[in-house]
Amino acid sequence: MFCRKHAAEKEANLKKQTAEKEANLKKQTAEKEMNLKKHTAEKEVNLKKQTAEKEANLKKQTAEKEANLKKQTAEKEVNLKKQTAEKEVNLKKQTAEKETNLKKQTAEKEVNLKKQTAEKEANLKKHTAEKETNLKTAEKETNLKKQTAEKEANLKKQTAEKAPLLQPPTSLPLGLLNGLPSAGESLASSDCTTDLSDPTTGFVTIRITPDEQGRFGFNVRGGVDQNKPVIVSRVAPNMAADRSYPRLNEGDQVLFINGRDISGHTHDQVVSFIRSSTLQGILELIVKPSAAPTDPRAPCVMGDRRQATDPPRGGFYFFTANQSRKGLKDYVLNHLRTSDYVPADVMYVGDDSFWDGGGEEPEFSYVPLIGQGGDKEGRSPGSPPQPTPYRNILRSLLASNGQAVGQTTGARALAESMLILAEGIEDGSVIRAFETLYRRKPGMRSDQCKAMDNLVKNRYRDICPYDDTRVTLRNPPEAQNDYINANHITIEVPDSVPPANYIGCQAPLPNTMGDFWTMAFENSCPLIMMVTVIAERGRVKSHKYWPNQGDTLSFPNGLSVTCKRETDMGAMTIRDFLMVMDNKEEKSIIQIMFKTWPDHGVPESPKDFLNMVYHMRKIKGMNANPVIVHCSAGIGRTGVLILMDVALSMIDAKIPVYPVEIVETMREQRALLVQTSIQFRFCCEAILRVYTDGELKYRP
């Protein structure tokens, strides 16, 4: 009983305590809520006060900035108006001066034009009088030619009747015939027959029977669409054309096909005429043989010894080897050409302009690449060309099918192209093909070169870059003049990485140094190949456009050039430069200066030349940006170096190398590249030397 009462008291006390605690807790909670509301209200009042102050300050600052901005804008407008007014005054002044000068020049031109017109009228009257005087003489000459033609027709008729008696015997010894059918064979059974040449014209008629596959075995190039005569570019060994008697030679000019005059037909039409002869079973060509054929079966052409002053046949003239160059200027002024016929606008012979009376080429001297006596490099200056051993070496390589040729189709095609090149050097056909190339691509304009502001930027006034391929400057040192005498040259080499990209240009002048370095910077060129010296034979060939080691050159467009290092390697000097634009963007470039290559000639040491080429290729590496190449005018030695580098890229890629076609492609992008036949032959022999000796021998 007691326990129950005690438990009830405890429970009553516990409830009482719990009720008190709850009452206290509610009281405390109510007090805290009151305090929190009071504190929150105070914070809100303070926050609104601070926000109002900040807004007032911000409005005040904004008003001050707007006032200052309006003031500055007003000042700038006043200054701009002032500057604009000054510029307008200066522009009007300059315009007035230009108009005055233009009027003065126009007046002078009008006076000169009137003077020239009067002189032309006087000459025309004189020429008309001479024509009238010669007209009677021409009538007499016409009658004389008619009589001569009748006599020639009768002579040909008599010769045709006697032709069976003039056929060569078929049983002569093989050594004496040297290529005719051997004893017991009939001449008629050969694939080709040939009429006797007409000794009064020098032309040869060749009849060729196609083989079983309908092939004649020769290629031609040229046509009226190319403004070139049709020339035999290649005769395949041991095929129908090669077995003709006389032999159809590379370099022969085709005049008639099956009695058709082809002088007015395109290249495609000429090829079509030849192919259609397959159906007829015989091809008849009338050709003008190339000069001095070396094949013992080639005809001994009599006649055709025209003087240089005679009218041209087919648009080009011939000059004999012993003719003096003294009168060449007069011939060029009358649009005559040497044996490498060129368009009438070509005015350059040698790196010096002969319009100024300078720079005649030295006498011919041949520098063989393989030792045949002479000095330690195999040179024999002044000696005539001797047959090279390349052909026998390459034939052995092809026959052995060994490692030097390789087992792939590409390697064998390359080896065959090397054999064709070696044979072309020996018989002179590849040199003759080079000499038939146009020096300047027809239709390509060079107007920028002749602009008044650009004349002072040309080292030679007759060496002009094509407008279509010229290099343009984006940020030139001289404001608003993007001209520099330089062309982009790109040769597509399949499977070659990187592509063959170059910039061919003239050597800088004192006033074009900034243009030159700007071009190098803007095109990110990795290398400059300088294949000339500063002065040669008392003539300045290039300005010293680079700073000395440790020095810096600065230009108005913000470009600076510093020479970091210079290394003398005997025949070469290598310099490292750092180019910086506006003290921000930096680019490095290397210059190789080759010092033993005389103007108009070939390097003194072929080994040094090849060593220089491989230094160039090693530094260029896989960089696809263009390499700058320059000599003095940027055509002769520049072209040789580009040709050599492209050929080595083709050899590396196992692609056939045809130097004449490479030069033709180069000249489509910069005129006159590879200046002389001596330079071209030197480069061809250097290509053969690398291929037969192995390139590792010349790597640095």
Side-chain angles (χ1 to χ4, degrees):
M1 217 34 206
F2 176 79
C3 291
R4 288 181 181 175
K5 185 178 179 181
H6 184 70
E9 290 177 354
K10 280 187 176 181
E11 185 175 350
N13 293 331
L14 181 61
K15 288 181 179 180
K16 184 179 180 180
Q17 292 173 358
T18 302
E20 291 176 354
K21 286 182 179 180
E22 288 178 357
N24 293 331
L25 182 61
K26 288 180 180 179
K27 184 179 179 181
Q28 293 174 358
T29 301
E31 291 177 352
K32 285 183 179 180
E33 287 179 355
M34 289 293 293
N35 293 331
L36 181 61
K37 288 180 179 179
K38 184 179 179 181
H39 187 64
T40 302
E42 291 177 353
K43 282 187 175 180
E44 288 178 355
V45 172
N46 292 333
L47 182 61
K48 288 180 180 179
K49 184 178 180 181
Q50 292 173 359
T51 302
E53 291 176 353
K54 286 182 179 180
E55 288 179 355
N57 292 332
L58 182 60
K59 288 180 180 179
K60 183 179 180 181
Q61 292 174 359
T62 302
E64 291 176 353
K65 286 183 179 180
E66 287 179 355
N68 292 331
L69 183 60
K70 288 180 180 179
K71 183 178 180 181
Q72 292 173 0
T73 302
E75 292 176 353
K76 286 184 178 180
E77 287 179 355
V78 172
N79 293 331
L80 183 60
K81 288 180 180 179
K82 183 177 180 181
Q83 293 174 359
T84 303
E86 292 176 353
K87 287 183 178 180
E88 288 178 355
V89 172
N90 293 331
L91 183 61
K92 288 180 180 179
K93 184 178 179 181
Q94 293 173 0
T95 303
E97 292 176 353
K98 287 184 178 179
E99 288 178 354
T100 303
N101 294 331
L102 183 61
K103 288 180 181 179
K104 184 178 178 181
Q105 292 174 1
T106 302
E108 292 175 353
K109 286 183 179 179
E110 288 178 355
V111 172
N112 293 331
L113 183 61
K114 289 180 181 178
K115 184 177 179 181
Q116 292 174 1
T117 303
E119 292 176 353
K120 286 182 179 179
E121 289 177 355
N123 292 332
L124 182 61
K125 289 179 181 179
K126 182 179 178 181
H127 188 61
T128 303
E130 292 176 352
K131 280 188 175 180
E132 291 176 354
T133 304
N134 295 333
L135 184 60
K136 295 180 180 179
T137 305
E139 292 177 356
K140 293 181 180 179
E141 289 179 353
T142 302
N143 294 331
L144 182 60
K145 286 181 180 179
K146 184 176 180 181
Q147 296 173 2
T148 304
E150 293 175 354
K151 289 182 180 180
E152 287 180 354
N154 294 331
L155 180 61
K156 288 182 179 179
K157 183 177 180 181
Q158 296 173 4
T159 303
E161 293 173 353
K162 296 179 182 179
L165 302 176
L166 298 175
Q167 294 292 332
T170 60
S171 58
L172 289 175
L174 180 62
L176 180 60
L177 289 172
N178 194 9
L180 287 173
S182 59
E185 291 184 48
S186 170
L187 184 61
S189 67
S190 175
D191 288 332
C192 307
T193 60
T194 307
D195 287 345
L196 293 176
S197 303
D198 183 350
T200 63
T201 63
F203 300 155
V204 177
T205 302
I206 302 177
R207 295 186 181 91
I208 308 174
T209 303
D211 61 12
E212 296 177 353
Q213 300 178 15
R215 299 176 301 180
F216 294 105
F218 71 96
N219 295 338
V220 296
R221 68 189 307 161
V224 70
D225 55 326
Q226 301 176 12
N227 288 329
K228 297 181 181 179
V230 178
I231 301 294
V232 177
S233 59
R234 180 172 181 257
V235 178
N238 299 320
M239 294 190 69
D242 184 50
R243 292 192 294 267
S244 66
Y245 180 80
R247 180 182 185 271
L248 182 65
N249 287 307
E250 294 172 357
D252 288 352
Q253 181 182 352
V254 181
L255 304 176
F256 291 84
I257 296 177
N258 296 331
R260 185 196 301 265
D261 182 2
I262 63 170
S263 61
H265 292 84
T266 65
H267 176 79
D268 291 341
Q269 289 174 329
V270 171
V271 174
S272 177
F273 297 155
I274 296 173
R275 288 176 177 170
S276 64
S277 302
T278 303
L279 301 176
Q280 303 174 12
I282 192 167
L283 172 66
E284 182 181 276
L285 303 177
I286 297 179
V287 303
K288 182 180 180 63
S290 58
T294 58
D295 192 301
R297 295 171 288 162
C300 179
V301 182
M302 304 298 293
D304 194 36
R305 298 294 186 262
R306 295 183 293 150
Q307 298 297 320
T309 54
D310 291 342
R313 185 190 302 275
F316 56 97
Y317 283 75
F318 296 87
F319 286 79
T320 59
N322 59 356
Q323 262 187 297
S324 171
R325 293 174 54 86
K326 185 177 181 181
L328 181 58
K329 175 178 178 179
D330 296 332
Y331 288 121
V332 177
L333 287 170
N334 289 284
H335 308 306
L336 301 182
R337 292 295 169 263
T338 59
S339 58
D340 52 343
Y341 62 94
V342 294
D345 60 348
V346 174
M347 302 186 297
Y348 185 83
V349 174
D351 270 352
D352 292 291
S353 171
F354 63 56
W355 306 118
D356 292 330
E360 287 206 17
E361 293 187 24
E363 294 297 324
F364 177 85
S365 62
Y366 173 65
V367 185
L369 282 174
I370 288 191
Q372 300 167 352
D375 64 11
K376 62 182 180 180
E377 292 292 347
R379 291 180 282 116
S380 181
S383 63
Q386 299 296 326
T388 66
Y390 291 124
R391 180 165 62 176
N392 295 333
I393 295 173
L394 291 167
R395 285 190 185 279
S396 299
L397 291 174
L398 279 170
S400 64
N401 196 26
Q403 185 178 2
V405 175
Q407 305 292 333
T408 64
T409 303
R412 184 168 184 84
L414 171 61
E416 289 175 349
S417 72
M418 292 293 100
L419 178 58
I420 292 171
L421 180 58
E423 292 176 341
I425 291 176
E426 285 195 21
D427 62 24
S429 60
V430 70
I431 306 301
R432 292 193 296 273
F434 165 77
E435 291 173 345
T436 63
L437 293 176
Y438 277 108
R439 295 194 170 196
R440 183 184 297 276
K441 184 180 178 182
M444 295 293 278
R445 301 185 65 86
S446 299
D447 296 337
Q448 290 299 317
C449 171
K450 302 167 187 175
M452 188 65 64
D453 292 341
N454 297 335
L455 292 177
V456 294
K457 293 190 172 188
N458 298 318
R459 179 171 288 276
Y460 304 101
R461 63 178 177 271
D462 43 9
I463 303 299
C464 291
Y466 297 143
D467 291 338
D468 289 350
T469 60
R470 73 180 183 91
V471 178
T472 57
L473 304 178
R474 298 188 295 274
N475 180 27
E478 183 180 342
Q480 299 179 350
N481 191 336
D482 63 1
Y483 175 79
I484 183 172
N485 195 316
N487 291 100
H488 288 288
I489 302 168
T490 301
I491 309 295
E492 295 296 334
V493 182
D495 302 325
S496 175
V497 181
N501 288 331
Y502 312 91
I503 291 177
C505 64
Q506 69 176 20
L509 294 160
N511 61 314
T512 63
M513 284 195 306
D515 296 336
F516 180 86
W517 285 111
T518 300
M519 174 181 69
F521 184 87
E522 291 181 347
N523 289 274
S524 299
C525 299
L527 182 62
I528 300 169
M529 297 301 300
M530 178 179 179
V531 285
T532 184
V533 290
I534 293 176
E536 183 179 342
R537 292 185 294 175
R539 289 182 175 271
V540 175
K541 295 295 180 179
S542 173
H543 182 67
K544 182 181 177 297
Y545 57 87
W546 60 91
N548 294 326
Q549 183 172 348
D551 292 344
T552 299
L553 286 176
S554 298
F555 302 100
N557 61 347
L559 179 65
S560 63
V561 180
T562 303
C563 182
K564 294 294 186 180
R565 182 172 57 185
E566 180 174 314
T567 305
D568 190 349
M569 302 179 66
M572 296 181 294
T573 298
I574 300 179
R575 301 180 178 93
D576 293 3
F577 298 99
L578 178 65
M579 302 181 293
V580 182
M581 179 63 76
D582 296 327
N583 295 321
K584 297 177 182 177
E585 189 177 2
E586 296 183 354
K587 295 181 181 180
S588 297
I589 190 170
I590 296 174
Q591 180 208 53
I592 296 180
M593 178 181 178
F594 190 62
K595 298 177 288 189
T596 60
W597 193 341
D599 198 4
H600 314 294
V602 297
E604 297 174 2
S605 167
K607 185 176 181 180
D608 287 342
F609 169 72
L610 293 173
N611 183 260
M612 178 264 295
V613 172
Y614 275 110
H615 266 89
M616 165 185 172
R617 294 175 64 78
K618 179 180 179 181
I619 294 172
K620 180 176 66 171
M622 302 300 291
N623 196 320
N625 294 323
V627 173
I628 297 175
V629 184
H630 78 84
C631 47
S632 185
I635 55 172
R637 291 168 283 187
T638 296
V640 172
L641 182 55
I642 293 175
L643 172 59
M644 188 68 199
D645 187 50
V646 171
L648 292 181
S649 296
M650 290 182 167
I651 291 174
D652 288 345
K654 300 295 187 293
I655 296 172
V657 179
Y658 299 106
V660 174
E661 295 180 0
I662 298 173
V663 173
E664 185 175 28
T665 302
M666 290 163 52
R667 288 183 178 178
E668 290 175 353
Q669 300 171 76
R670 183 171 174 83
L672 308 170
L673 288 171
V674 186
Q675 188 178 351
T676 67
S677 298
I678 301 174
Q679 292 174 341
F680 179 73
R681 176 167 183 147
F682 170 86
C683 192
C684 290
E685 292 202 343
I687 294 168
L688 289 172
R689 183 172 187 171
V690 171
Y691 181 79
T692 54
D693 290 356
E695 60 181 351
L696 291 177
K697 180 176 179 181
Y698 305 104
R699 288 194 182 277

